[in-house]
Amino acid sequence: MEIAATQVKELREKTGAGFMDCKKALAESEGDLDRATRWLREKGLAAAAKKAGRTASEGQIGAYLHAGGRIGVLVEVNCETDFVAKTPDFQNLVKDVAMQVAAASPAPARFVDRSQVPVDVVDSERAIFRVQAQASGKPEKVIEKIVDGKVDKFMSEVCLLDQPFIREPEKTVRDIVAEAIAKLGENIIVRRFARFQLGEGS
């Protein structure tokens, strides 16, 4: 059966599980929200949302060099305990996030998530997209939808957690982090990152 995007969104908000996991849960449950929630809980995937408020001050700073040393990345990923920070699963997550920052296309991320994007940056992009959309001569109602869609695409490019994951493009980086939370049983936060490109800014 076909699963509506609104159903997936509702289940994601309710459980905190990843997009693809929610879609699969709804398909397995024939679109029944309660059954889908139970399916996710049984798989341990709904646990991520409940852990989101817990303090995460341990973790690891990971480094990654890309393209023969022409691009370098530092990333801080936090978890709750030193024990989890030392597990191969957590260390692989840190490496994957660093690789994402280095190799993501079409544009490198500039922010961890949407809450960090300054309002004036969003307003400026929205204004540009509006001018472009108005040039098409379409009705105002359609223009608003076009602008909203372009802003959403812009956010998914500049915000690390909203980018398609380079290893599994059907998932976002946020989905990968949520899966790690479910697997490791602790809150995990991508705190910050820095990306350096040889010759940049010179």
Side-chain angles (χ1 to χ4, degrees), residues 23-175:
K23 194 171 181 181
K24 186 174 181 182
L26 285 162
E28 293 282 339
S29 310
E30 298 176 333
D32 186 293
L33 196 64
D34 291 331
R35 281 170 55 201
T37 302
R38 180 170 179 169
W39 188 91
L40 286 168
R41 288 184 64 192
E42 287 170 353
K43 301 289 183 185
L45 297 168
K50 295 177 183 174
K51 294 178 175 64
R54 296 188 344 203
T55 303
S57 55
E58 292 294 334
Q60 189 179 79
I61 292 175
Y64 179 73
L65 291 177
H66 184 66
R70 299 187 69 82
I71 297 172
V73 170
L74 288 174
V75 61
E76 180 181 352
V77 183
N78 298 138
C79 56
E80 295 176 45
T81 64
D82 187 49
F83 173 79
V84 163
K86 291 176 179 175
T87 62
D89 285 327
F90 183 81
Q91 290 174 5
N92 286 337
L93 174 67
V94 175
K95 184 180 177 184
D96 281 344
V97 172
M99 286 175 64
Q100 177 77 28
V101 174
S105 184
R110 289 157 49 194
F111 309 97
V112 173
D113 62 32
R114 295 181 183 217
S115 67
Q116 294 182 346
V117 184
V119 174
D120 61 324
V121 170
V122 179
D123 288 346
S124 174
E125 292 298 319
R126 183 174 284 279
I128 292 168
F129 296 146
R130 172 171 285 283
V131 170
Q132 291 173 345
Q134 284 172 334
S136 69
K138 290 180 177 164
E140 188 63 29
K141 193 182 286 186
V142 175
I143 286 172
E144 274 308 307
K145 288 183 180 176
I146 292 171
V147 171
D148 287 344
K150 289 196 170 197
V151 168
D152 197 53
K153 186 174 186 301
F154 167 76
M155 291 293 223
S156 73
E157 289 174 358
V158 300
C159 299
L160 176 62
L161 293 180
D162 288 334
Q163 287 188 337
F165 180 48
I166 52 171
R167 290 185 186 275
E168 300 174 71
E170 72 278 6
K171 298 179 180 179
T172 63
V173 177
R174 189 186 310 279
D175 293 333

